[in-house]
Amino acid sequence: MNIKCLALALLLLPLHGQEIPNRFKKTPDLPKSPDDLPVVVTNSIEHFLVAKEDLHQWQASHPDEKITRELLVNWIKQGRASLDNTFFFSNRLEQFFELSTGKSLTYPVEYAPPNFSGEWNIPSAFDLKYLGHFFETIVSKDDQGRLQASLSAGAAQLIGSDSHSAYIEEKRSPDDLFMPNFKTYRQSCSVTYTKGAHQLVGIFNSLEDETKARLIFSETGSTTLDPIPKNSPAVTLS
């Protein structure tokens, strides 16, 4: 018995300190060169708030000029505008990206019939609506290496439902169904990015203040194939 135990110990000795390979574990294929790495694009999104009256007056006195980010930065210094939101994100080339700020609202879209007369309908299916501001983009490169972007920006706002009417509320019955009403703004465009240049995606009514307009600018800073820019595209006030 002792001889058998000694022989078993000698057989197990070479395995001490060695990792037993797991034949069920798959090792991912690592990139062989930098060209095999996915291209990542960095973007910045900025939301500016400007009084509609100031914006209309400027457009009337400058009919041949475009609204630029530099103009809004000067207005911020003068107290005529404000920077509401700034977003930075990175995404793979040719991949869809969505950015939203706000809250979500879940509301019923289907109801089960009541079991007895006079009972309220029971919700059986629901839908989800995002309220607030959203931004969607897909960035690609053309044959000349230029960055092409398909952009879409906008906002969604809940403006109530018919059930909020005092008359309808008084006359409603358990069989009546009321759906929420939404107001949605959306602007879509395609642009060719120039390094260091900011693109005006769209101008919308502010959901928080009807007297102000929301201007959205987008800028692509760099890719994994380009050097990282030294200057941040964020607004800096001196």
Side-chain angles (χ1 to χ4, degrees):
M1 181 62 68
N2 294 334
I3 297 177
K4 292 182 179 180
C5 292
L6 180 60
L8 180 60
L10 293 176
L11 290 175
L12 295 177
L13 185 60
L15 299 179
H16 180 70
Q18 297 182 5
E19 182 180 357
I20 301 176
N22 187 351
R23 58 190 181 92
F24 297 102
K25 182 179 180 181
K26 295 182 179 180
T27 303
D29 296 332
L30 299 178
K32 298 180 181 179
S33 65
D35 296 335
D36 297 331
L37 293 173
V39 179
V40 177
V41 182
T42 61
N43 296 72
S44 69
I45 308 297
E46 294 173 324
H47 289 221
F48 295 88
L49 293 178
V50 181
K52 292 181 180 179
E53 183 177 355
D54 291 345
L55 189 61
H56 293 163
Q57 290 180 357
W58 185 89
Q59 290 177 321
S61 58
H62 303 79
D64 299 328
E65 296 185 24
K66 295 182 179 180
I67 301 175
T68 63
R69 178 178 177 273
E70 289 73 16
L71 173 66
L72 297 182
V73 171
N74 290 330
W75 283 7
I76 291 177
K77 296 178 180 180
Q78 300 171 11
R80 302 172 58 189
S82 62
L83 178 64
D84 186 56
N85 285 316
T86 301
F87 306 98
F88 295 94
F89 63 91
S90 298
N91 194 45
R92 288 186 177 184
L93 207 64
E94 306 287 354
Q95 294 291 323
F96 175 78
F97 179 84
E98 180 180 9
L99 176 68
S100 60
T101 60
K103 59 183 179 180
S104 59
L105 174 66
T106 302
Y107 60 95
V109 293
E110 294 182 6
Y111 293 83
N115 296 325
F116 303 97
S117 176
E119 285 188 346
W120 293 99
N121 295 330
I122 301 176
S124 58
F126 298 85
D127 199 356
L128 182 66
K129 180 71 173 182
Y130 288 99
L131 304 177
H133 303 279
F134 61 87
F135 178 84
E136 302 170 353
T137 181
I138 296 180
V139 183
S140 59
K141 274 192 174 184
D142 60 13
D143 297 337
Q144 301 180 6
R146 297 175 301 183
L147 293 178
Q148 307 284 344
S150 297
L151 308 174
S152 180
Q157 180 184 17
L158 175 67
I159 58 175
S161 65
D162 295 336
S163 61
H164 292 167
S165 169
Y167 175 80
I168 295 179
E169 187 68 26
E170 181 181 354
K171 301 297 182 180
R172 65 181 298 188
S173 66
D175 296 333
D176 293 335
L177 302 179
F178 298 95
M179 302 294 290
N181 297 322
F182 302 98
K183 180 185 291 186
T184 302
Y185 307 95
R186 178 183 289 269
Q187 174 70 37
S188 300
C189 62
S190 297
V191 299
T192 299
Y193 276 117
T194 302
K195 287 188 177 299
H198 293 76
Q199 305 286 346
L200 177 61
V201 180
I203 303 176
F204 307 91
N205 292 325
S206 174
L207 300 181
E208 300 81 10
D209 189 347
E210 295 182 355
T211 64
K212 294 184 178 181
R214 180 177 296 271
L215 293 82
I216 302 178
F217 280 83
S218 173
E219 189 263 351
T220 292
S222 64
T223 68
T224 52
L225 302 182
D226 302 321
I228 300 177
K230 296 181 180 179
N231 298 326
S232 171
V235 172
T236 302
L237 302 179
S238 57

